[in-house]
Amino acid sequence: MKKDLLHLGELSREDFRMLMDRALEMKARRRLGIIDRPFAGKVMGMVFDKASTRTRVSFESAWARLGGHPMFLSTGATQMSRSEPVKDTARVLSRYIDVLVIRTYAQDLIEEFAKWSSIPVINALSDRFHPCQILSDLLTVVELKGGFDKLVDLKFAWVGDGNNVAQSWINAAGVLGFSLMLACPEGYDPDGDVLALAEERFPGRVKVVRSPEEAMDGADVVYTDVWASMGQEEEQKKRENDFKGFCVDETRMKLAAKDALVLHCLPAHRGEEISDGVMESHPELWDQAENKMHMHAALLDCLVNK
Ligand code: CP
Ligand code: NVA
């Protein structure tokens, strides 16, 4: 049966471990200059409805460097923009390509693609989840904080909106059982069903609080993201007001563990959710961005070649 990646709640602890191990192995082989071509003769389709720098380029370069042909399809340039149904598009694309990577607004649309496709479908961000992001972020934590088995001992802090990236972090905590404290202003909590799933699996490990200082106190990993996600641009001004006091800056960083990592999925709005000084003093942010490419290679290999 074909496998998809729609959200992280559907993975097991062993799936996470396997993806981390495979990504580390592929990254090491690339560093040694070894040329592998696991995707030779294969085509990856990418249907993107929203802007992207990192996800698009890291998926395309991971696929192309490993011998495959990437095909980027802006939704507006396809017949989907003229109302061709997903169930028709999915069945047609499945006859041409080997894997489909989708970035769009509605999670339901990605799930409908998965339902009608006979090839693996990968969620490259929806309004609800960003699973690939958290897989590669965890790879960075695994590399910098002593390995996969150490994750469960770490304290993760989320500062900001309870958005798609936050919800994928909650999914991951619900599988791996690490401690995750999310500081979100009133009205910006993650969805109740996402929190409930993590609570059911690891009671008490995921908490939502109102104070960034409380979440960051002693944190080993501090994570933030933009206050207004793609599609929420008209709320920018209101959000700037509602998120006052939620900037990951030098003063608040003093509360975190001395050797705390700062992660941000990027793009960042310096001076809003994160200060310029914190960004410039945490070079792991660039390792985090690089790791998207290695994790995407591993994910594609596991879904397409296994
Ligand atoms: N982090 C991330 O998904 O970045 P892009 O929007 O640039 O793809
Ligand atoms: N929450 C952000 C993440 C971008 C990678 C957004 O959805 O715009």
Side-chain angles (χ1 to χ4, degrees), residues 1 6 31 59 84 90 106 113-115 151 169 176 186 199 206 216 240 261 289 297:
M1 230 176 70
L6 305 178
R31 291 264 153 97
F59 261 110
E84 183 164 17
F113 256 106
K115 177 177 165 197
L151 288 176
W169 271 108
L176 301 176
E186 185 111 41
E199 181 63 21
V206 176
M216 288 172 70
E240 278 173 26
L261 302 179

Side-chain angles (χ1 to χ4, degrees), residues 190-232:
D191 292 345
D193 63 324
V194 177
L195 287 166
L197 184 66
E199 181 63 21
E200 189 188 306
R201 293 172 171 180
F202 283 101
R205 298 295 276 170
V206 176
K207 289 197 189 90
V208 179
V209 297
R210 296 285 168 246
S211 152
E213 288 77 12
E214 185 181 349
M216 288 172 70
D217 190 22
D220 301 296
V221 180
V222 175
Y223 203 110
T224 189
D225 185 15
V226 290
W227 294 338
S229 286
M230 289 181 277
Q232 298 172 333

Side-chain angles (χ1 to χ4, degrees), residues 179-198:
S179 151
L180 172 63
M181 195 179 283
L182 301 107
C184 309
E186 185 111 41
Y188 294 95
D189 286 358
D191 292 345
D193 63 324
V194 177
L195 287 166
L197 184 66

Side-chain angles (χ1 to χ4, degrees), residues 7-305:
H7 61 83
L8 294 180
E10 61 190 358
L11 299 191
S12 66
R13 182 180 176 78
E14 282 321 303
D15 291 331
F16 274 91
R17 187 195 294 277
M18 180 194 58
L19 285 166
M20 300 296 143
D21 287 350
R22 185 75 183 117
L24 289 172
E25 185 190 349
M26 293 174 96
K27 181 173 180 177
R29 288 177 72 81
R30 172 158 302 162
R31 291 264 153 97
L32 290 170
I34 299 168
I35 312 276
D36 292 314
R37 302 186 65 76
F39 308 135
K42 295 198 160 98
V43 178
M44 172 180 66
M46 307 177 74
V47 170
F48 276 45
D49 249 347
K50 289 179 175 175
S52 174
T53 297
R54 280 145 288 270
T55 307
R56 174 184 175 175
V57 178
S58 59
F59 261 110
E60 282 201 36
S61 56
W63 186 261
R65 283 168 191 260
L66 294 164
H69 178 80
M71 186 178 290
F72 185 80
L73 298 159
S74 172
T75 314
T78 72
Q79 296 289 10
M80 278 185 283
S81 66
R82 296 175 59 250
S83 308
E84 183 164 17
V86 166
K87 62 181 180 180
D88 295 359
T89 308
R91 282 176 290 182
V92 169
L93 290 179
S94 296
R95 301 288 177 110
Y96 300 144
I97 62 179
D98 298 281
V99 57
L100 182 58
V101 181
I102 309 181
R103 169 171 285 200
T104 190
Y105 294 87
Q107 175 75 14
D108 286 355
L109 189 129
I110 301 180
E111 297 193 0
E112 203 188 342
F113 256 106
K115 177 177 165 197
W116 291 100
S117 298
S118 56
I119 54 171
V121 170
I122 296 175
N123 176 359
L125 181 146
S126 69
D127 286 346
R128 207 158 135 78
F129 297 117
H130 195 2
C132 301
Q133 180 67 47
I134 280 57
L135 286 176
S136 52
D137 297 341
L138 282 170
L139 177 65
T140 308
V141 180
V142 164
E143 281 184 314
L144 299 177
K145 288 286 181 192
F148 185 79
D149 290 323
K150 288 276 161 59
L151 288 176
V152 72
D153 301 325
L154 299 176
K155 192 175 165 212
F156 291 76
W158 173 274
V159 180
D161 188 16
N163 64 15
N164 44 4
V165 178
Q167 298 202 144
S168 283
W169 271 108
I170 296 167
N171 279 165
V175 177
L176 301 176
F178 53 76
S179 151
L180 172 63
M181 195 179 283
L182 301 107
C184 309
E186 185 111 41
Y188 294 95
D189 286 358
D191 292 345
D193 63 324
V194 177
L195 287 166
L197 184 66
E199 181 63 21
E200 189 188 306
R201 293 172 171 180
F202 283 101
R205 298 295 276 170
V206 176
K207 289 197 189 90
V208 179
V209 297
R210 296 285 168 246
S211 152
E213 288 77 12
E214 185 181 349
M216 288 172 70
D217 190 22
D220 301 296
V221 180
V222 175
Y223 203 110
T224 189
D225 185 15
V226 290
W227 294 338
S229 286
M230 289 181 277
Q232 298 172 333
E233 289 77 6
E234 73 291 350
E235 295 175 33
Q236 176 66 30
K237 279 277 154 280
K238 175 176 167 26
R239 284 170 177 257
E240 278 173 26
N241 201 43
D242 293 347
F243 283 83
K244 277 206 174 90
F246 279 72
C247 181
V248 173
D249 59 15
E250 288 85 333
T251 309
R252 291 194 181 89
M253 274 310 294
K254 292 202 176 97
L255 297 166
K258 251 204 174 69
D259 57 352
L261 302 179
V262 172
L263 300 180
H264 188 313
C265 53
L266 306 179
H269 287 182
R270 285 171 159 85
E272 291 183 22
E273 77 277 4
I274 191 165
S275 68
D276 182 61
V278 169
M279 280 211 65
E280 294 305 329
S281 53
H282 284 273
E284 66 271 19
L285 285 158
W286 316 114
D287 297 323
Q288 179 192 9
E290 176 187 336
N291 276 338
K292 285 174 73 76
M293 183 172 68
H294 304 299
M295 179 49 75
H296 294 162
L299 178 64
L300 289 162
D301 191 41
C302 291
L303 295 182
V304 177
N305 288 333

